[in-house]
Amino acid sequence: FSLSTVIGPILGPPIGALFVTYANWRWIFFTNVPFCLVGAWLALRFVDDLREPERSTLDVVSFTLMGMALGGLVFGFETGGRGMLPLSVALTLLAAGSASLVAYALHARGSTNPAIDLGLLRGRQVFSAAILGGALLRMALGAQPVVLPLLLQLGFGMSALWSGSLTIFSAIGAITPRLFLRQIVRLAGFRRVLVWATVAVSANFLIFAVLWPGVPIPVLIALLLLSGMGRTTLMLSLNTLGYAEVPPERMSRATTIVSMSQQLFNSLGVSVGATLLSLTLALRGASDLGAADFWPTYVVLAALPLLSLFYFVPLPSDVGDELSGHRGG
């Protein structure tokens, strides 16, 4: 099932690069339409219409507050520091989003069916580590698809086609751990895999910080392969482990939190990467990115995964052993 999710990342960058180079960038978005139509048809044709036996009513207030919170925070981060909107507007969006989030948390305490059940984070160390620790990881990993092509094109002078072709190797690297991750987790345990994979991802970002124009292509390919391997190792481990202590009757609510956090923090990662580059330009008083402008961004991106260790290291040494078959030691 998970192998199908890497087909898009493998084919997307070179196809997008072909459109940008030989056609028009708008075709990148037009191409989504037939794929969406085919996906909708496949879902209607092959996915069973499974429903929970008990239906719950929609909490309109919590739904509205959470929508306002996510919209304000994501759009505020996206526009802040990039000149898309006045800074005062971006700060207003962030303040409104933060206020809505606080209002949501207060309202959700007395709601029997909140849009996002934050109560699942209380008293569940493993689930909290997967969500909160994973949030920091997803922000760093979500920035890479934006920062890397800019580094290759504006920093190293590569064409869009060449840059898009190279990023295939990150997706290829993402396939590899799926073949042997089960055996590694069984041998080492979930906690060790999470800790050492997090350190490896951080080190990978630091290496990108010291790259220079003219770096040998095999070095770039190796770094991209390792980047994809680290990303998949962490995300598969977190997604598997996160549900270990969730009772079956609350599984659908847990799935909602996981899906929301993935989308939210991946989006924030895009905003963080773009904002960091914009701040570097502003501090330098320049208008065009150069190779020397990327290392501060990669240093910050390397620090974000290390903060996840505050959630991963305290996990019990035998966490998830019933899932992986690890016997300690």
Side-chain angles (χ1 to χ4, degrees):
F1 176 78
S2 60
L3 281 174
S4 63
T5 61
V6 302
I7 296 176
I10 289 177
L11 298 179
I15 292 176
L18 285 171
F19 284 143
V20 171
T21 303
Y22 297 109
N24 188 288
W25 61 267
R26 291 175 176 82
W27 280 103
I28 294 174
F29 299 95
F30 293 147
T31 305
N32 288 327
V33 175
F35 284 105
C36 290
L37 294 175
V38 171
W41 178 81
L42 290 173
L44 293 171
R45 175 67 177 80
F46 295 105
V47 178
D48 293 334
D49 188 15
L50 300 178
R51 301 172 184 265
E52 291 188 355
E54 296 183 4
R55 293 188 179 185
S56 55
T57 58
L58 175 66
D59 185 337
V60 177
V61 175
S62 69
F63 178 82
T64 303
L65 288 173
M66 180 57 71
M68 293 171 60
L70 296 179
L73 291 173
V74 172
F75 197 51
F77 277 114
E78 179 70 22
T79 57
R82 298 178 60 187
M84 298 175 64
L85 290 174
L87 181 59
S88 59
V89 176
L91 293 176
T92 300
L93 288 169
L94 290 173
S98 300
S100 298
L101 188 61
V102 172
Y104 174 86
L106 295 174
H107 172 80
R109 290 180 179 179
S111 175
T112 58
N113 186 37
I116 303 295
D117 188 2
L118 299 179
L120 283 168
L121 298 174
R122 294 193 294 268
R124 292 181 173 83
Q125 182 186 16
V126 178
F127 188 70
S128 297
I131 297 298
L132 301 178
L136 297 166
L137 284 170
R138 288 187 174 93
M139 286 179 65
L141 296 173
Q144 177 74 321
V146 175
V147 178
L148 178 62
L150 294 175
L151 172 65
L152 296 180
Q153 295 176 48
L154 303 181
F156 295 171
M158 295 183 181
S159 66
L161 183 59
W162 188 220
S163 170
S165 300
L166 279 178
T167 54
I168 294 177
F169 291 98
S170 179
I172 294 175
I175 297 176
T176 309
R178 301 169 194 266
L179 305 177
F180 54 77
L181 182 59
R182 183 177 181 181
Q183 290 74 21
I184 291 178
V185 174
R186 178 176 296 176
L187 178 65
F190 271 106
R191 189 181 71 167
R192 287 180 180 173
V193 169
L194 286 174
V195 169
W196 289 110
T198 299
V199 173
V201 166
S202 178
N204 187 267
F205 279 126
L206 282 179
I207 295 174
F208 274 104
V210 298
L211 292 181
W212 64 95
V215 62
I217 296 299
V219 173
L220 276 176
I221 291 175
L223 288 173
L224 291 170
L225 288 171
L226 292 173
S227 175
M229 293 173 65
R231 180 178 70 248
T232 296
T233 298
L234 286 169
M235 292 302 102
L236 283 181
S237 299
L238 284 174
N239 289 341
T240 302
L241 186 61
Y243 294 106
E245 60 180 1
V246 178
E249 65 273 11
R250 304 187 75 178
M251 193 65 70
S252 62
R253 295 190 177 189
T255 303
T256 302
I257 294 180
V258 172
S259 300
M260 182 206 71
S261 66
Q262 289 176 350
Q263 297 299 324
L264 172 62
F265 291 104
N266 281 335
S267 299
L268 290 180
V270 173
S271 303
V272 166
T275 301
L276 287 171
L277 290 175
S278 298
L279 289 175
T280 302
L281 277 180
L283 291 174
R284 195 165 62 86
S287 57
D288 297 320
L289 286 169
D293 294 315
F294 287 87
W295 71 264
T297 296
Y298 272 111
V299 168
V300 174
L301 296 182
L304 287 176
L306 295 180
L307 295 176
S308 298
L309 295 178
F310 287 102
Y311 295 96
F312 300 155
V313 172
L315 290 173
S317 59
D318 61 348
V319 64
D321 282 358
E322 70 280 2
L323 296 175
S324 65
H326 177 60
R327 292 294 178 262

